[in-house]
Amino acid sequence: VRVIRPARADDAAAVAALQSYRDAPSPRLLAAVGALGTCVVAVGGGDERNQAGPATAPPVGDPVGYVLVIGEGDTHLAELVVHPDHRRRGQGRALVNAVVADQAPGTRVTLAVAADNNPARSLYESAGFEPIDRRPEFYESVDDCPDEAVIYAYDVPENDG
């Protein structure tokens, strides 16, 4: 059972723990999201995996993924994180679909993803996002290797009315 819902105040610790799985966590962004946009979480049910699960898995009922969406009108998907024990089970796709479904017709949803993050790029492309730009040295470099980003956009279709 998968539940996608707006984050609540009591989700803060779980979402912060999920953010630690990012290559470059941004606690400041997470702290500011209430003023900038919204946070939506995926809550895993006990039937997705063995109920006991690995020791690192979030407890049943806690968020197993989240997405930060910034802006009004055209929006930017700033972060999407799914706990490693829950990846490749549709949580990321459900979060992306929820963000898109919540947008008004004609809205553009954008995001940036590391050029070498093939699993994320595959997810976004399969959800209808199209690459619109490449930005060298977008992310802070690691080991003196600048990380290039691919900028994606999804234009929410207008109602045919």
Side-chain angles (χ1 to χ4, degrees):
V1 174
R2 178 176 317 135
V3 175
I4 305 296
R5 63 169 170 74
R8 303 182 301 233
D10 63 344
D11 292 326
V15 170
L18 287 167
Q19 191 185 56
S20 71
Y21 290 102
R22 291 185 46 84
D23 289 338
S26 178
R28 289 177 55 199
L29 175 62
L30 197 55
V33 79
L36 301 172
T38 59
C39 180
V40 177
V41 297
V43 179
D47 60 346
E48 291 176 351
R49 274 207 165 215
N50 177 339
Q51 190 108 356
T56 61
V60 172
D62 277 2
V64 298
Y66 72 89
V67 62
L68 301 180
V69 182
I70 296 175
E72 293 181 23
D74 288 350
T75 59
H76 182 71
L77 194 155
E79 286 187 2
L80 178 122
V81 178
V82 174
H83 189 283
D85 292 338
H86 292 268
R87 291 181 183 157
R88 310 224 25 100
R89 300 186 178 284
Q91 301 291 5
R93 179 173 306 284
L95 286 164
V96 170
N97 289 344
V99 167
V100 168
D102 196 41
Q103 305 307 309
T107 300
R108 174 168 269 197
V109 181
T110 59
L111 61 93
V113 64
D116 63 353
N117 187 342
N118 292 327
R121 292 185 62 195
S122 177
L123 167 65
Y124 298 129
E125 289 172 11
S126 70
F129 284 77
E130 295 184 8
I132 59 168
D133 196 10
R134 290 182 87 83
R135 299 200 181 144
E137 301 180 31
F138 184 81
Y139 297 106
E140 288 186 35
S141 63
V142 178
D143 298 328
D144 295 323
C145 296
D147 287 325
E148 180 179 31
V150 178
I151 309 302
Y152 282 88
Y154 178 87
D155 294 313
V156 179
E158 295 284 348
N159 289 337
D160 291 335

